[in-house]
Amino acid sequence: MTLLFQEAAHAAAEAGAHGAFHPVAPWLIVLLPLIGFVINGAASMIAARRALPKLPPVGDPHWDAHHDVSEQEGHAHEHGAHPAGHDHDDHHDAHDHPAGPKPWTHVLPSFVAPGVLIAAFAVAVMNFLAMLGADEHGRLTVERYFSWMPVGDFQVDAALQLDPLSMLMTLIITGVGSLIHIFSIGYMKEDPGYPRYMAYLNLFVFFMLVLVLGASYPLMFVGWEGVGLCSYLLIGFWFKEKANADAGKKAFIVNRVGDFGFLIAMFLLFANLGTLNFVEVMDRAPMSLAYGGAVVTAIALFFFLGATGKSAQIPLYIWLPDAMAGPTPVSALIHAATMVTAGVYLVVRSSVIFTLAPVASLVVAIVGALTAIFAASIGLKQWDIKKVLAYSTVSQLGFMFAAVGMGAYAAGVFHLMTHAFFKACLFLGSGAVIHAMHGALHATHNPADAQDMRNMGGLKKYLPVTFATMGIATLAIAGVPPFSGFFSKDEIIGAAWLGAGGHSPFSQAVLFGIPGTVWMGFIGGTLSIAAFMTAFYMGRMMIYTFFGENRTGETERRHMHEGNWTLSVPLIVLAALSFFGGFLNVEEHVPVVEWFDFGQGAALHHWLHPVIAGSESVVRANLGDLGEVHHAAWPIILAIVIGVGGLALAWVMLSGRKLGTATEEPSFRTGFGRVLYNKFYVDEIYDVLVVRPVYALSRVYSAFDRYVIDGLVDFTGRLAQGLGMLAGRVQTGLLNTYAFVIIVGVLVVLGSFVAL
Amino acid sequence: MESFYSGSGILTFLIFFPLVGALAVYFSGDRNARQVALGVGIVEFLVSIPLFWTFDHTGTCLQPTFRGGAQDMVPAAMQNCVATPWIPEWGIFYRLGMDGISLFMILLTTLLLPLMVLGSWTYIRERQRWYYAMLLALTTGVVGVFVALDMFLFYVFWEIMLIPMYFLIGIWGGKERVYAAVKFFLYTAFGSLLMLVAILYLFFKGQAIFGTPTFSYFDFGQLSMILGPREQGFLFLAFALAFAIKVPVFPFHTWLPHAHVQAPTAGSVILAGVLLKMGTYGFLRFALPLFPLAAASDTAINVALVLALVGIVYAAMVAAVQPNAKKLVAYTSVAHLGFVILGIYAFNLQGIQGALLVMIGHGLSTPMLFFLLGMLYERRHSYEIEDFGGLAASLPIFAGMLVFAAMASVGLPGTSGFVSEFLVLLGTFRTHPFAALIAATGVIFAAFYMLPMVQRMVFNALDRPANRTIPDLNAREILVLAPLVVLILWIGVYPKPFLDKMSPAAERLANGMERARATYVALPQSAGEVASMPR
Amino acid sequence: MTAIPLSWTLALSAILFSVGTFGVVIRRNAIILFMCVELMLNAVNLAFVGLAPYAGIQGQVFVFFVIAVAAAEAAVGLAIIISVFRHSESVDIKNFRLLRW
């Protein structure tokens, strides 16, 4: 460890001297979580084996009598009754709590899993420091490790690219990831599948790091699909419930639709540029691809299709709410802070391509904005606390895409970062709430749903730390200054107004006959409404959960308490980041904000500048200088009004409301609220329009295959048999016939002699 | 030792040692048959491994050939050649040779042999000595196919492989085994007979032109330059049909589901792992190089692309609704091999290398799936998906292996499936972009058929009592699966050694087909066709 | 004395042969079948003998061969019929269709 530190200091010093950046064993960042996976996976397998009963081996002669399928015809299903609502985070059958000290297979992962993450974070920090020491133009390096797919003129290496963007993502992933791992210790350690959980979590971080650190699109795709796999495994972690396994399956398949887009984009890219390495692509794209041309637009749109899958935008967001079936820390890590941001990362990484395709970028921005408001509206009427956060995530991702779609790449990344902080804090906080609720309900054997807000209320008395941290995160997400969310969200909406004023590189693009300026005005309005909704539903969530009277029950309340330090410390850290994180990128020369001196402004902008430079040069080459940007004051005021107003309105409308528990309070039986509660029936629409027809068609094909094609084959067989039977009729067995044939034959032979 | 591997003995050894082993197995009786067979298999595999390192693609061997009546020696880009006269009056030589393509097919076969024996350890309870003898005899035929360079010899080995397979399915198979075995045999033999006619046609043609009878692959290659396009067309059709039935290409695939469902585990393993590759190998070694103009014609390309795409999409959809797990995997084989045909017809290095990798990768992941299903069958005597459910609780290692195999089949990056399918799609995109677009939806369909099956078998509630009391995989079973896991990951993460060894042969084929395509396009009568060809 | 024209002999032979053939094809009784076969053989004999003065003495010699073969064949055939009759109490050949497809 100290050796690495010295190396880092060295590198920083050297870098200062030469301007270049010398990385410090970046491969270690990626490898450490993989090692964690192997260790935890082994522990999980050993633990699983130990838990199994001793059985006679296969091939034992007594075997078959008991296990032939035909024997099972008469057996009825043995099903334990599942009390309503017990299919979320609680999976403890009565027998699953082993008493006594935990075996090493359960203790080891508690150290290994967070340990490798923290170690990876440390190495990342060292590299970050080294990078800081280098000057702006020296902050890119590509470390090649081995040749992965060398096939003729297609050469892809296993290489890691360290530049400001990937460094930032790595810090977020390892940093927030470490906190979530620590939280998981307290949250999941009673679960029998705990080692498996930690193994999957480590594997996920490994793939996510490959995604952001990969130096080429194929390598990024490795991480891209890898996190899809881990998401599948983790969403369906409690696979005994069909609903959970279904959710995991849905996530994987929907993601695959997006992956199809990613693949096509890669092929198009390679066909036109001859390379898939980021550095080379960004160099060659402006020269080989026509600005605004069909090819580059197609590439960008296909990449975006991939992004909608991974980052849950319209039309492929449907897996994310279902993904809440997984353990809450999973939701925090994968579905808030990291995996879902992969799409945004992709767009920013490919900023040159998207800048070359203004129409495609407009599409990205519009879809992002629409998703933002669409998801926010659904979040207004959800009762499950995790569902509220899930739709909130979809909505916030929409904000990020709107940003990058308008060319405000740094703003998108900024919001990505702040969102990682406050959303992870919110999810972990909800996890703490659910943990406490479970504890309470379990103790009294109450079958109520621990995640339904109607069963909560007034929890601020029992869970003060959780309340405080979630409160901070709520203020951040609502966009109340000076919390981080305010700065990042304001920058995005501000970018929309600027774009409407013609200052975005895509302002002049025309989509469906409408110019970019109009679109961006529309986006600005949409995002503002979405932001208002965000503040409202977050306020609603906080009110129903923490304020008012407690609806959980008299006896249950006595068992409700905060979790241990593993649950609280990450919350506190994340809440702090939710507060301070915004100061990393305060815009300079912005009215109101500049009244407060926040030190070096727009740090993130400067930090990311080398990554975005390529895109900026494309803009300069094609559109000329866009001129100075003058920030008006009114957008800032509007943002503050929206944020505070949303929360205030929620308070006014809802804080006095008397709510029944989940069994008492109806779930919106009438009106538009019902539509929102049922998520606009999108899942049902997909089922009718896509899933059922595909299955029906498959069944038709299967029947066609069996009866028509195979029938044809069998027909030839039967034809041969039939002809054979027909020909066999000659063999009558009758002497007369044979004699007759002989005579006829003789006549024929004689006749032929005569004829010839 | 060196000379053994660089010389001509190794191939003969690899071909006939299993046959000798089969005799040994037969005479060791039912009780010891499996041990002897395992020994033979391990020896065969160990002997074949060094070939991987001693393979030198720059090496050539001189092949006697007849050109214009005079006897010449031609350097052929093959290694470990053998050319001894067998029936010289008819120009039949015992002619063997190996290049990058056949190298991996041989290694795949020799790898699967001991695994199959080990996998059948407790599965086969009767007539063991015949069973293992058949398995070994089958290996002989298969290895022979991959190295034969004399058309007659090739045909002999091709047909030899049918009989043990027929017995394997027909005796140790499931309820409708006889139907499946007969169907398999007749269908394949039908195609082969057409191929025989084509071979004989070429033989007589060669005899007329060269003046001496010859069945040599190289002489046939010379002939192809002399044949007119119509002749080439018919001959190509005959060869292609035989191979298309074997691959299997839609619509000649319907024998496969029956054969797989009824076959014992090892039968399915060798069928999916190697026998199907014999069809694609036939395309790569014979159908395309011997009749390049016909293979590069518009009709051939269009038909090949359409059939490959139908295989990829249609077969995947049919797979998704199969209630029988083995049938489901059978249809996925059709889908995967559609990728192979697609890659071959890309006519560029990425496509062909990708196709070869799919051949190898599919030969690892699908046998893994069949092994797993077979292990499950040993416990529950059923392949029906709905008889299972929630197995991850009682069979955690099995579940883990199944998920892994499923991911390899689906083409998850990090496994061989991804590298191979990616290369195929990339190569295809460069020459036939729309075909690649449609084929790329295959990744969606792959998840569509595989994940629900995995979920219904391994996840969900463990609600059938019988599934609770079955033991997890034992050490032997894990040993069977482990090499496959290792290789799948190796090819997925570091495929370079494989790619490097295959690339010269692949490059030769790619260049040859590109030239053929150019020649075809330049032909006067095809000018009209070119204008209407979809790209 | 006028000789019998050859054509008449051959015609008679032909008629007898046809009758015999027709009988072989139509008749169901095995013994009758045999009689028809003998009829065919004798018709052939008649033709041989009739042609002997014109074609050479071999014709008449050949008749001996035919008679010998006919006798042997009749013996064997009748033995078969007897053993078949012992098995199934009937000489109707419709019952002996074991070689049917």
Side-chain angles (χ1 to χ4, degrees), chain B residues 145-160:
Chain B
V145 162
F146 287 132
V147 293
L149 288 179
D150 181 287
M151 298 308 292
F152 185 84
L153 189 67
F154 166 75
Y155 189 78
V156 167
F157 278 124
W158 181 270
E159 295 292 296
I160 278 184

PDB file of all heavy atoms in Angstrom, chain B residues 145-160:
ATOM      1  N   VAL B 145     -12.749 -37.767 -41.053  1.00  0.00           N
ATOM      2  CA  VAL B 145     -13.390 -36.790 -41.939  1.00  0.00           C
ATOM      3  C   VAL B 145     -12.596 -35.491 -41.974  1.00  0.00           C
ATOM      4  O   VAL B 145     -12.428 -34.874 -43.021  1.00  0.00           O
ATOM      5  CB  VAL B 145     -14.829 -36.515 -41.457  1.00  0.00           C
ATOM      6  CG1 VAL B 145     -15.359 -35.237 -42.052  1.00  0.00           C
ATOM      7  CG2 VAL B 145     -15.729 -37.661 -41.825  1.00  0.00           C
ATOM      8  N   PHE B 146     -12.110 -35.105 -40.784  1.00  0.00           N
ATOM      9  CA  PHE B 146     -11.472 -33.796 -40.719  1.00  0.00           C
ATOM     10  C   PHE B 146     -10.100 -33.756 -41.373  1.00  0.00           C
ATOM     11  O   PHE B 146      -9.577 -32.684 -41.638  1.00  0.00           O
ATOM     12  CB  PHE B 146     -11.357 -33.338 -39.267  1.00  0.00           C
ATOM     13  CG  PHE B 146     -12.662 -32.926 -38.672  1.00  0.00           C
ATOM     14  CD1 PHE B 146     -13.058 -33.382 -37.428  1.00  0.00           C
ATOM     15  CD2 PHE B 146     -13.515 -32.070 -39.349  1.00  0.00           C
ATOM     16  CE1 PHE B 146     -14.273 -33.007 -36.875  1.00  0.00           C
ATOM     17  CE2 PHE B 146     -14.724 -31.689 -38.809  1.00  0.00           C
ATOM     18  CZ  PHE B 146     -15.104 -32.161 -37.562  1.00  0.00           C
ATOM     19  N   VAL B 147      -9.495 -34.906 -41.589  1.00  0.00           N
ATOM     20  CA  VAL B 147      -8.151 -34.852 -42.176  1.00  0.00           C
ATOM     21  C   VAL B 147      -8.055 -35.518 -43.545  1.00  0.00           C
ATOM     22  O   VAL B 147      -7.003 -35.458 -44.171  1.00  0.00           O
ATOM     23  CB  VAL B 147      -7.102 -35.490 -41.248  1.00  0.00           C
ATOM     24  CG1 VAL B 147      -6.947 -34.674 -40.005  1.00  0.00           C
ATOM     25  CG2 VAL B 147      -7.451 -36.909 -40.913  1.00  0.00           C
ATOM     26  N   ALA B 148      -9.146 -36.105 -44.005  1.00  0.00           N
ATOM     27  CA  ALA B 148      -9.037 -36.816 -45.277  1.00  0.00           C
ATOM     28  C   ALA B 148      -8.900 -35.829 -46.420  1.00  0.00           C
ATOM     29  O   ALA B 148      -9.626 -34.837 -46.492  1.00  0.00           O
ATOM     30  CB  ALA B 148     -10.259 -37.692 -45.490  1.00  0.00           C
ATOM     31  N   LEU B 149      -7.981 -36.096 -47.317  1.00  0.00           N
ATOM     32  CA  LEU B 149      -7.806 -35.221 -48.465  1.00  0.00           C
ATOM     33  C   LEU B 149      -8.049 -35.954 -49.774  1.00  0.00           C
ATOM     34  O   LEU B 149      -7.824 -35.415 -50.840  1.00  0.00           O
ATOM     35  CB  LEU B 149      -6.398 -34.631 -48.473  1.00  0.00           C
ATOM     36  CG  LEU B 149      -6.160 -33.578 -47.413  1.00  0.00           C
ATOM     37  CD1 LEU B 149      -4.732 -33.088 -47.490  1.00  0.00           C
ATOM     38  CD2 LEU B 149      -7.106 -32.405 -47.604  1.00  0.00           C
ATOM     39  N   ASP B 150      -8.445 -37.182 -49.669  1.00  0.00           N
ATOM     40  CA  ASP B 150      -8.794 -37.949 -50.848  1.00  0.00           C
ATOM     41  C   ASP B 150     -10.306 -38.075 -50.805  1.00  0.00           C
ATOM     42  O   ASP B 150     -10.876 -38.463 -49.793  1.00  0.00           O
ATOM     43  CB  ASP B 150      -8.116 -39.326 -50.775  1.00  0.00           C
ATOM     44  CG  ASP B 150      -8.413 -40.169 -51.984  1.00  0.00           C
ATOM     45  OD1 ASP B 150      -9.553 -40.654 -52.090  1.00  0.00           O
ATOM     46  OD2 ASP B 150      -7.513 -40.343 -52.805  1.00  0.00           O
ATOM     47  N   MET B 151     -10.949 -37.747 -51.911  1.00  0.00           N
ATOM     48  CA  MET B 151     -12.397 -37.657 -51.861  1.00  0.00           C
ATOM     49  C   MET B 151     -13.053 -38.970 -51.529  1.00  0.00           C
ATOM     50  O   MET B 151     -14.063 -39.026 -50.842  1.00  0.00           O
ATOM     51  CB  MET B 151     -12.951 -37.138 -53.194  1.00  0.00           C
ATOM     52  CG  MET B 151     -12.492 -35.758 -53.535  1.00  0.00           C
ATOM     53  SD  MET B 151     -12.772 -34.582 -52.221  1.00  0.00           S
ATOM     54  CE  MET B 151     -14.533 -34.499 -52.221  1.00  0.00           C
ATOM     55  N   PHE B 152     -12.485 -40.036 -52.006  1.00  0.00           N
ATOM     56  CA  PHE B 152     -13.053 -41.343 -51.702  1.00  0.00           C
ATOM     57  C   PHE B 152     -12.890 -41.635 -50.215  1.00  0.00           C
ATOM     58  O   PHE B 152     -13.817 -42.063 -49.546  1.00  0.00           O
ATOM     59  CB  PHE B 152     -12.339 -42.410 -52.543  1.00  0.00           C
ATOM     60  CG  PHE B 152     -12.916 -43.773 -52.389  1.00  0.00           C
ATOM     61  CD1 PHE B 152     -14.014 -44.159 -53.140  1.00  0.00           C
ATOM     62  CD2 PHE B 152     -12.379 -44.688 -51.478  1.00  0.00           C
ATOM     63  CE1 PHE B 152     -14.556 -45.417 -52.994  1.00  0.00           C
ATOM     64  CE2 PHE B 152     -12.922 -45.941 -51.335  1.00  0.00           C
ATOM     65  CZ  PHE B 152     -14.008 -46.318 -52.090  1.00  0.00           C
ATOM     66  N   LEU B 153     -11.694 -41.373 -49.726  1.00  0.00           N
ATOM     67  CA  LEU B 153     -11.429 -41.597 -48.307  1.00  0.00           C
ATOM     68  C   LEU B 153     -12.355 -40.740 -47.454  1.00  0.00           C
ATOM     69  O   LEU B 153     -12.910 -41.195 -46.452  1.00  0.00           O
ATOM     70  CB  LEU B 153      -9.970 -41.250 -48.013  1.00  0.00           C
ATOM     71  CG  LEU B 153      -9.450 -41.621 -46.633  1.00  0.00           C
ATOM     72  CD1 LEU B 153      -9.415 -43.120 -46.498  1.00  0.00           C
ATOM     73  CD2 LEU B 153      -8.057 -41.052 -46.432  1.00  0.00           C
ATOM     74  N   PHE B 154     -12.507 -39.502 -47.883  1.00  0.00           N
ATOM     75  CA  PHE B 154     -13.396 -38.613 -47.149  1.00  0.00           C
ATOM     76  C   PHE B 154     -14.799 -39.187 -47.106  1.00  0.00           C
ATOM     77  O   PHE B 154     -15.451 -39.213 -46.062  1.00  0.00           O
ATOM     78  CB  PHE B 154     -13.412 -37.233 -47.817  1.00  0.00           C
ATOM     79  CG  PHE B 154     -14.524 -36.342 -47.358  1.00  0.00           C
ATOM     80  CD1 PHE B 154     -14.475 -35.730 -46.126  1.00  0.00           C
ATOM     81  CD2 PHE B 154     -15.632 -36.121 -48.163  1.00  0.00           C
ATOM     82  CE1 PHE B 154     -15.500 -34.912 -45.697  1.00  0.00           C
ATOM     83  CE2 PHE B 154     -16.654 -35.290 -47.738  1.00  0.00           C
ATOM     84  CZ  PHE B 154     -16.587 -34.686 -46.510  1.00  0.00           C
ATOM     85  N   TYR B 155     -15.269 -39.680 -48.251  1.00  0.00           N
ATOM     86  CA  TYR B 155     -16.618 -40.228 -48.286  1.00  0.00           C
ATOM     87  C   TYR B 155     -16.745 -41.443 -47.391  1.00  0.00           C
ATOM     88  O   TYR B 155     -17.749 -41.631 -46.705  1.00  0.00           O
ATOM     89  CB  TYR B 155     -17.020 -40.564 -49.721  1.00  0.00           C
ATOM     90  CG  TYR B 155     -18.461 -40.922 -49.824  1.00  0.00           C
ATOM     91  CD1 TYR B 155     -19.429 -39.931 -49.815  1.00  0.00           C
ATOM     92  CD2 TYR B 155     -18.869 -42.243 -49.888  1.00  0.00           C
ATOM     93  CE1 TYR B 155     -20.763 -40.244 -49.889  1.00  0.00           C
ATOM     94  CE2 TYR B 155     -20.203 -42.564 -49.957  1.00  0.00           C
ATOM     95  CZ  TYR B 155     -21.147 -41.568 -49.954  1.00  0.00           C
ATOM     96  OH  TYR B 155     -22.472 -41.883 -50.010  1.00  0.00           O
ATOM     97  N   VAL B 156     -15.699 -42.278 -47.408  1.00  0.00           N
ATOM     98  CA  VAL B 156     -15.732 -43.463 -46.550  1.00  0.00           C
ATOM     99  C   VAL B 156     -15.874 -43.058 -45.085  1.00  0.00           C
ATOM    100  O   VAL B 156     -16.722 -43.560 -44.358  1.00  0.00           O
ATOM    101  CB  VAL B 156     -14.460 -44.300 -46.759  1.00  0.00           C
ATOM    102  CG1 VAL B 156     -14.323 -45.339 -45.666  1.00  0.00           C
ATOM    103  CG2 VAL B 156     -14.492 -44.977 -48.114  1.00  0.00           C
ATOM    104  N   PHE B 157     -15.030 -42.117 -44.662  1.00  0.00           N
ATOM    105  CA  PHE B 157     -15.108 -41.691 -43.263  1.00  0.00           C
ATOM    106  C   PHE B 157     -16.448 -41.032 -42.959  1.00  0.00           C
ATOM    107  O   PHE B 157     -17.025 -41.217 -41.897  1.00  0.00           O
ATOM    108  CB  PHE B 157     -13.971 -40.723 -42.928  1.00  0.00           C
ATOM    109  CG  PHE B 157     -12.674 -41.411 -42.623  1.00  0.00           C
ATOM    110  CD1 PHE B 157     -11.524 -41.101 -43.339  1.00  0.00           C
ATOM    111  CD2 PHE B 157     -12.585 -42.351 -41.632  1.00  0.00           C
ATOM    112  CE1 PHE B 157     -10.329 -41.729 -43.057  1.00  0.00           C
ATOM    113  CE2 PHE B 157     -11.398 -42.990 -41.349  1.00  0.00           C
ATOM    114  CZ  PHE B 157     -10.260 -42.677 -42.064  1.00  0.00           C
ATOM    115  N   TRP B 158     -16.926 -40.257 -43.898  1.00  0.00           N
ATOM    116  CA  TRP B 158     -18.214 -39.567 -43.709  1.00  0.00           C
ATOM    117  C   TRP B 158     -19.316 -40.589 -43.453  1.00  0.00           C
ATOM    118  O   TRP B 158     -20.143 -40.425 -42.558  1.00  0.00           O
ATOM    119  CB  TRP B 158     -18.506 -38.751 -44.971  1.00  0.00           C
ATOM    120  CG  TRP B 158     -19.747 -37.960 -44.959  1.00  0.00           C
ATOM    121  CD1 TRP B 158     -20.986 -38.360 -45.370  1.00  0.00           C
ATOM    122  CD2 TRP B 158     -19.896 -36.607 -44.544  1.00  0.00           C
ATOM    123  NE1 TRP B 158     -21.887 -37.347 -45.238  1.00  0.00           N
ATOM    124  CE2 TRP B 158     -21.240 -36.258 -44.739  1.00  0.00           C
ATOM    125  CE3 TRP B 158     -19.014 -35.653 -44.023  1.00  0.00           C
ATOM    126  CZ2 TRP B 158     -21.733 -34.990 -44.438  1.00  0.00           C
ATOM    127  CZ3 TRP B 158     -19.510 -34.398 -43.727  1.00  0.00           C
ATOM    128  CH2 TRP B 158     -20.858 -34.079 -43.925  1.00  0.00           C
ATOM    129  N   GLU B 159     -19.328 -41.641 -44.241  1.00  0.00           N
ATOM    130  CA  GLU B 159     -20.371 -42.639 -44.062  1.00  0.00           C
ATOM    131  C   GLU B 159     -20.131 -43.501 -42.829  1.00  0.00           C
ATOM    132  O   GLU B 159     -21.061 -43.946 -42.178  1.00  0.00           O
ATOM    133  CB  GLU B 159     -20.475 -43.526 -45.301  1.00  0.00           C
ATOM    134  CG  GLU B 159     -20.929 -42.780 -46.544  1.00  0.00           C
ATOM    135  CD  GLU B 159     -22.373 -42.317 -46.441  1.00  0.00           C
ATOM    136  OE1 GLU B 159     -23.273 -43.163 -46.362  1.00  0.00           O
ATOM    137  OE2 GLU B 159     -22.596 -41.094 -46.420  1.00  0.00           O
ATOM    138  N   ILE B 160     -18.846 -43.753 -42.532  1.00  0.00           N
ATOM    139  CA  ILE B 160     -18.534 -44.575 -41.357  1.00  0.00           C
ATOM    140  C   ILE B 160     -19.146 -43.972 -40.110  1.00  0.00           C
ATOM    141  O   ILE B 160     -19.621 -44.671 -39.223  1.00  0.00           O
ATOM    142  CB  ILE B 160     -16.996 -44.691 -41.180  1.00  0.00           C
ATOM    143  CG1 ILE B 160     -16.447 -45.772 -42.094  1.00  0.00           C
ATOM    144  CG2 ILE B 160     -16.653 -45.033 -39.745  1.00  0.00           C
ATOM    145  CD1 ILE B 160     -14.979 -45.987 -41.898  1.00  0.00           C
TER     146      ILE B 160
END
